[in-house]
Amino acid sequence: MHDSNERFPPPLCHPGTREAIIVRITDWYGYRAGPGKPIMWVHAPAGYGKTAIAGTVSKMLKETTGLDFIPLGATFFFWRTSPERSNPARFIITIACQLAVSIPELKPHIANAVSQNPLILNKALEVQLDELIVEPFKAIGDLKDIPNRLVIIDGLDECINSGQESRVAKKYAEDQEVVQVRVLDLIHTLQSHHLPLSFLILSRPEAWITQHIESRSFTDVVEVVDLYAVGDHMNDVEKYVRAELTRIAAKIGDVEWPTESIVHGFIWKTNGHMVYASTVIRHIDDPYDDPRKRLKDILDAPTDSNRYLAHSTPFSTLYELYRQIMRSCPESNRSLMVEVLEDIIVTGRYFRDYYGLSSALPILDSLSGRAVGCGSRAIRGLHAVLRLVSDPNEANRSDRTLLRPFVHSSFVEFLTNPLLSLEFAVDKKKGSRRLLWNCLECMSAINSQSEVEGKHFRLALDTFRSLWVTGWSGKEARLHQDEYVKVVKKLLTIDLTTCFIKVFDYPSFRRSLLFIAPSNIFDSDFVDSLEHLSKESDPLSQEAIMHVFFFDRPSPGSCVQPTSSSSTRVGIFQWTECSTVLGEALQPLDKFEPAEI
């Protein structure tokens, strides 16, 4: 929801900006009477402030006075890195819950639907929509006296139906195109019942979303708004830039700065992109450097001479800014900086955002063989594009949210596209192979006599399978056959049983809550990837498969029974999944000594 703790502090428009689009939305909504077309779709590329606009409209409607009803019916903000918001599993029940509050007449009917059928919360979304929203409205009877409410859905393109924590039935675990179209169809079904609801949808103009909204069934009920075509973006950016530069000038005590020429030069360079302006502000607002010099360096820097880059994207100015920020880091440090960024991108999904990037970096240092602290120092100059520490105001947010280290998704797109990032390009496959080798090195050091200290051991065990699958596709194994054989041989030297027993003993549980366990501990793709060796090396391949698949895999619900050949034939990969859950369940016991437990 717009005011949920997980989103605190919520992105909002800078005061006095985006006024044209906000007026356009509120005029369309029409408050009590409702709009002519029940759905408005506002689209724009990443970085145009869609989420800030959705948040501002939500806040404005929630705080509207002088009416005998609350205009805001419900909100839902999808977010691709949140396990609970990257899929539609909770979409309908979240909307229904809010409608029960904003429309008091609905509350007893929704409550009755849940009490009569508690399993409705786990039914298909289409069934939930009918029983939790449509039928309760019908139970009211005459709806003409109920004022129209606005339902806001932001980030539809962020609904990617990831497997992490997904409660969606397996048959719906499809690609993002299908699941986003499914959400659109749910909204279309709701409006078809002519309920006192209007729907504001904000998203990127993905091809499949555009195609579906332009289809015959949607055309007559949707008003389409191109965000970039509405309002004076240069004027909005100017208001923001002047306010922020004034704040920074007051902080450094320079009343003469900035001059008008500096302000105009900055505004001209933004090309109307608020994300560019906000990134520059974060970059220059550095307590360890002179913001005046930092801004001068950006404004004086020549545009990249590569004509392809200059014209390839509307964000060419933003990407040039990213290059300037990275070039502001010491040249001797750049290769390490890229390596650390590679580590973050490759392993970010294994860390909890609750603890922040600053907690993940020392672990990555240890895993990568760097001295602890090297990673933080290498990316110190990137505070404009990285969140090193979680916001202290988010202390109560769900600790199951994936790490969100990047200020804006466009920076990841920049890093992973070598045509844009040039010498700063991040190669995810290469990084996965490098980190995989580090994981295997770490695991090979574990034996029955060794003392396992450090969270990087746990990270190695959690990630080595997925790193293997990501880094060693069939093509990569064929291109680098010798290196791949070396990796397989390294795997064969590791005592996996001892590794898991050592790392997942109880004291380690209390130190491992920084991580999010993989959703599928035993990954069949991992075993399949071991067969990439040539026919000549097939015996080695089979030996590797047996090495990781040496245990009995019981049928669901059955017990793992010891066999005569081994009293410890335990489903290692299944056990690690259970142990992670058990460790979290036992967290309240931390105050006791292990012997007491």
Side-chain angles (χ1 to χ4, degrees), residues 77-383:
F77 287 72
F78 287 106
W79 187 258
R80 71 178 61 238
T81 61
S82 170
E84 297 177 355
R85 295 193 285 140
S86 61
N87 63 78
R90 308 188 184 196
F91 175 59
I92 296 300
I93 57 177
T94 303
I95 296 296
C97 180
Q98 294 172 87
L99 291 177
V101 175
S102 61
I103 306 177
E105 297 91 336
L106 277 179
K107 186 174 182 178
H109 302 294
I110 294 177
N112 184 55
V114 175
S115 63
Q116 287 189 350
N117 183 15
L119 294 178
I120 187 63
L121 302 180
N122 294 315
K123 297 292 185 180
L125 301 180
E126 291 75 9
V127 177
Q128 291 180 355
L129 181 141
D130 186 62
E131 295 191 19
L132 295 179
I133 300 179
V134 176
E135 289 302 322
F137 265 112
K138 289 182 178 180
I140 294 175
D142 190 358
L143 300 177
K144 66 179 181 180
D145 292 331
I146 296 182
N148 188 274
R149 263 74 167 197
L150 182 61
V151 177
I152 299 176
I153 300 105
D154 177 65
L156 176 60
D157 55 283
E158 300 276 326
C159 179
I160 58 174
N161 200 23
S162 68
Q164 292 281 346
E165 299 295 318
S166 177
R167 288 167 46 188
V168 183
K170 188 173 182 179
K171 67 178 180 178
Y172 293 123
E174 302 164 25
D175 58 30
Q176 60 178 350
E177 300 181 23
V178 174
V179 77
Q180 290 168 20
V181 167
R182 186 182 180 209
V183 172
L184 284 175
D185 286 339
L186 290 169
I187 296 169
H188 187 275
T189 299
L190 266 181
Q191 70 79 32
S192 70
H193 288 280
H194 305 290
L195 306 175
L197 298 174
S198 302
F199 303 89
L200 173 64
I201 306 170
L202 301 97
S203 77
R204 299 188 194 187
E206 305 290 9
W208 51 91
I209 296 177
T210 303
Q211 182 180 12
H212 203 61
I213 286 182
E214 291 178 349
S215 66
R216 183 176 300 178
S217 61
F218 272 85
T219 303
D220 294 336
V221 296
V222 178
E223 182 168 335
V224 178
V225 178
D226 181 352
L227 179 57
Y228 193 68
V230 178
D232 187 342
H233 297 281
M234 293 297 284
N235 185 55
D236 286 345
V237 168
E238 181 174 356
K239 290 179 181 178
Y240 171 76
V241 165
R242 288 187 179 278
E244 288 298 298
L245 290 182
T246 300
R247 176 184 63 80
I248 294 173
K251 189 164 68 172
I252 63 176
D254 188 346
V255 296
E256 302 294 328
W257 183 86
T259 63
E260 277 299 302
S261 63
I262 291 175
V263 173
H264 286 299
F266 184 0
I267 295 168
W268 176 84
K269 198 129 185 175
T270 67
N271 198 26
H273 296 311
M274 188 67 77
V275 67
Y276 181 98
S278 60
T279 303
V280 171
I281 292 298
R282 282 192 299 271
H283 179 62
I284 68 174
D285 193 11
D286 184 349
Y288 302 103
D289 204 350
D290 186 345
R292 295 163 294 192
K293 180 182 180 300
R294 286 200 160 207
L295 182 57
K296 184 177 187 301
D297 290 343
I298 289 173
L299 299 183
D300 292 347
T303 302
D304 197 283
S305 59
N306 189 318
R307 294 179 63 188
Y308 173 79
L309 292 177
H311 300 287
S312 62
T313 168
F315 279 96
S316 57
T317 53
L318 178 62
Y319 294 142
E320 177 58 30
L321 173 63
Y322 287 156
R323 287 189 288 273
Q324 291 174 20
I325 290 174
M326 298 187 77
R327 285 169 184 155
S328 69
C329 297
E331 190 169 354
S332 59
N333 210 33
R334 290 179 189 173
S335 61
L336 178 58
M337 175 181 68
V338 173
E339 179 182 297
V340 173
L341 289 171
E342 204 167 65
D343 288 355
I344 295 169
I345 290 175
V346 170
T347 65
R349 61 195 175 110
Y350 295 102
F351 291 97
R352 302 177 191 272
D353 191 52
Y354 182 82
Y355 294 91
L357 182 58
S358 58
S359 296
L361 287 172
I363 302 171
L364 292 173
D365 284 339
S366 297
L367 183 63
S368 296
R370 300 185 293 260
V372 173
C374 282
S376 296
R377 289 191 294 272
I379 60 173
R380 184 190 167 282
L382 302 181
H383 66 277

Side-chain angles (χ1 to χ4, degrees), residues 463-480:
T463 62
F464 84 93
R465 295 174 297 282
S466 63
L467 291 174
W468 195 300
V469 174
T470 303
W472 287 110
S473 63
K475 178 181 177 182
E476 298 297 327
R478 287 189 295 272
L479 287 175
H480 309 282

